[in-house]
Amino acid sequence: MRSKLLRKDYIFLAVSFFYIIYIIFPLFADLTNIPVYLPALLVVFTLSLLYPRAMFSKPLAWLLGYIGIIFLYITCGKSFHINGLESTLSPVYRLIIETAWILPSTMIFSVLVYRKNDRLYKIIGYGSVILLVLSYIYILPLLQASANFLREDMDMENRQIGLPGYDLMHSYALMILPLCLYIKKSVRFYKLLNLVLLLLFGYIVVQTAVTTSLVIIIFTVFLVLLYKPGRIIYNSSIVIIGSMVLLLLYYSGFFLNLVDWLMPYFENTAVYFKLQDIHYSILKGSITGDSLTARMDYHQLSWASFFRNPIVGAGNVGGHSKIIDVLGSMGLAGAIPYLMFIVSVLRKYVHLNKLREYRAYICVSFLMAFVYLYTKGIFGAPGYLFMMVIVPSLIVSGYKSKAR
């Protein structure tokens, strides 16, 4: 990869960080009151002018295909659903917001892959970590005053300035994987520094009390500790043995006791009710409780809409899964370009490095994002930014720079 930066690369970094700061540093957005569309428009127009050739990529083509399908639905008067937006909003407005959530991160990604420059990845990745740490420094004193501050502050209209929104809090968990990677590859002072960062990020994620994020943290830590690159027999054995251990722990009552031990810590949060339902589900031997079955019902509604009209969808969806809701709302006509857009972004990153371990980390990072897309109705601009730009930039940098 090239390391020398051109003059337009510095403009790219300035424009990209203006957008990144706006998305991941809530205090900046709240204090400046910059209209939400301005950073997105700045990225789109500036990068199109600076790097016109970078825009001719398969991911961008698939994304435009997905946007084009939504536009076609609007033209034909067919209803469609965009997660995180009320169906009462204007169809054109919903199309603009969906585009504004995805397109800027896609264009930043396209330039990164087009330029193939180590320094660009490193500056984007490391700079984003610094911004996140600064935002956490602002949040930490508030958490000391009230441990449930982030958990209770779900009213976005009346929330205190500088606090992350629901979609940004979900994205924090995606940072655990690259931080674990850096701990594994670094030495001496840098290993300690990365460990401190991991503890800080982990603490913030736990304080958000997002159930999916907590599961992702546990999965990430175990994966990094147990995975051995290139050792297929060892990794397969770990999966088999791990499955047997989990089964034994389940029948020994370990998970039931663990759930009972965790419940007081998450009292008055959404996690508490899910733990309560998990408790009763373990006792009964089948899934029960509104917090678990309700989401299954929402997913079933979306699946029913898809099977009613697999080609163009039936429009009526549950609103709790981006992936299934696209299938239910727009059928294969919308789901194919949307899913191929994500797959093509992953393929671009996979082909940057032939190392098996690097490719494993990239694939797992996208798998974690896919978990959110499948289980959550809200992904938003932060989710796409972390999935396509910040997390991959850190992983790419981790395998391009020498271990310290």
Side-chain angles (χ1 to χ4, degrees):
M1 283 192 180
R2 299 183 292 270
S3 58
K4 183 179 179 180
L5 296 183
L6 304 177
R7 182 176 298 177
K8 62 182 180 180
D9 292 333
Y10 290 102
I11 301 175
F12 161 72
L13 288 172
V15 171
S16 298
F17 269 111
F18 178 61
Y19 179 74
I20 292 171
I21 291 173
Y22 184 89
I23 298 298
I24 73 174
F25 196 69
L27 187 62
F28 172 80
D30 291 342
L31 290 178
T32 58
N33 289 318
I34 296 174
V36 64
Y37 57 83
L38 185 58
L41 286 175
L42 184 63
V43 168
V44 171
F45 286 115
T46 305
L47 300 192
S48 297
L49 292 173
L50 288 176
Y51 307 93
R53 291 185 180 181
M55 302 303 113
F56 293 93
S57 64
K58 285 185 179 180
L60 199 54
W62 282 114
L63 175 59
L64 293 177
Y66 169 64
I67 295 170
I69 290 295
I70 299 178
F71 180 77
L72 184 62
Y73 277 35
I74 294 174
T75 304
C76 297
K78 188 182 184 308
S79 63
F80 64 93
H81 177 78
I82 300 297
N83 296 80
L85 298 176
E86 297 290 338
S87 58
T88 54
L89 295 172
S90 162
V92 174
Y93 178 78
R94 282 182 281 149
L95 171 61
I96 292 173
I97 295 300
E98 177 79 335
T99 305
W101 280 344
I102 309 176
L103 186 57
S105 295
T106 306
M107 298 192 73
I108 295 173
F109 147 79
S110 297
V111 173
L112 285 171
V113 174
Y114 172 75
R115 287 289 292 125
K116 299 179 182 178
N117 191 300
D118 290 346
R119 291 181 63 190
L120 289 178
Y121 285 108
K122 186 175 293 186
I123 294 171
I124 291 287
Y126 291 7
S128 298
V129 171
I130 293 172
L131 289 171
L132 286 169
V133 170
L134 291 175
S135 70
Y136 294 164
I137 291 174
Y138 172 78
I139 294 172
L140 284 174
L142 303 177
L143 291 175
Q144 296 302 313
S146 172
N148 290 332
F149 205 86
L150 287 178
R151 309 172 189 179
E152 295 171 346
D153 198 79
M154 290 300 175
D155 184 0
M156 293 296 110
E157 293 182 358
N158 300 313
R159 69 183 179 90
Q160 181 169 328
I161 63 169
L163 291 185
Y166 197 61
D167 49 357
L168 179 56
M169 287 196 291
H170 279 70
S171 303
Y172 288 158
L174 299 177
M175 294 294 293
I176 301 300
L177 180 66
L179 289 174
C180 287
L181 167 65
Y182 276 74
I183 291 174
K184 189 175 181 179
K185 292 180 67 66
S186 58
V187 295
R188 301 186 183 91
F189 168 76
Y190 294 101
K191 184 179 287 290
L192 178 61
L193 175 62
N194 289 316
L195 179 59
V196 172
L197 289 174
L198 177 64
L199 293 175
L200 172 61
F201 277 69
Y203 174 73
I204 295 295
V205 172
V206 170
Q207 293 303 312
T208 64
V210 176
T211 311
T212 308
S213 298
L214 301 178
V215 173
I216 283 179
I217 284 183
I218 296 171
F219 172 78
T220 301
V221 172
F222 275 102
L223 176 72
V224 174
L225 289 176
L226 299 176
Y227 173 75
K228 301 293 182 182
R231 298 174 60 179
I232 299 176
I233 297 178
Y234 170 84
N235 293 326
S236 302
S237 301
I238 288 296
V239 172
I240 295 172
I241 295 172
S243 301
M244 294 175 63
V245 170
L246 290 175
L247 194 61
L248 289 173
L249 290 174
Y250 173 80
Y251 283 109
S252 69
F254 172 80
F255 290 117
L256 183 62
N257 293 326
L258 178 62
V259 168
D260 292 341
W261 177 72
L262 289 172
M263 283 173 64
Y265 179 76
F266 292 100
E267 193 171 1
N268 298 322
T269 70
V271 175
Y272 177 84
F273 298 104
K274 291 179 182 178
L275 290 173
Q276 191 177 54
D277 289 341
I278 291 172
H279 170 92
Y280 291 118
S281 297
I282 293 174
L283 288 177
K284 292 184 64 176
S286 60
I287 297 177
T288 184
D290 291 341
S291 68
L292 300 179
T293 58
R295 180 157 299 181
M296 295 171 63
D297 293 338
Y298 291 135
H299 290 180
Q300 185 58 39
L301 180 62
S302 298
W303 280 120
S305 293
F306 169 67
F307 288 118
R308 195 155 53 243
N309 196 333
I311 304 301
V312 297
N316 189 22
V317 297
H320 278 67
S321 169
K322 178 64 177 179
I323 300 297
I324 310 176
D325 291 346
V326 170
L327 281 167
S329 175
M330 291 178 265
L332 293 174
I336 289 177
Y338 179 75
L339 291 175
M340 286 304 300
F341 155 66
I342 297 174
V343 171
S344 59
V345 172
L346 171 60
R347 285 172 59 86
K348 285 287 186 180
Y349 276 122
V350 165
H351 291 152
L352 287 179
N353 195 316
K354 294 182 180 180
L355 285 176
R356 188 173 297 177
E357 186 179 30
Y358 160 81
R359 292 184 170 184
Y361 273 94
I362 285 291
C363 289
V364 170
S365 71
F366 273 78
L367 175 61
M368 292 175 176
F370 191 84
V371 169
Y372 279 123
L373 286 167
Y374 187 87
T375 61
K376 297 290 183 180
I378 299 177
F379 200 61
Y384 292 106
L385 180 62
F386 277 79
M387 178 181 73
M388 291 194 290
V389 178
I390 297 176
V391 173
S393 291
L394 287 169
I395 295 175
V396 171
S397 298
Y399 282 93
K400 290 300 176 183
S401 57
K402 296 180 180 179
R404 294 176 175 176

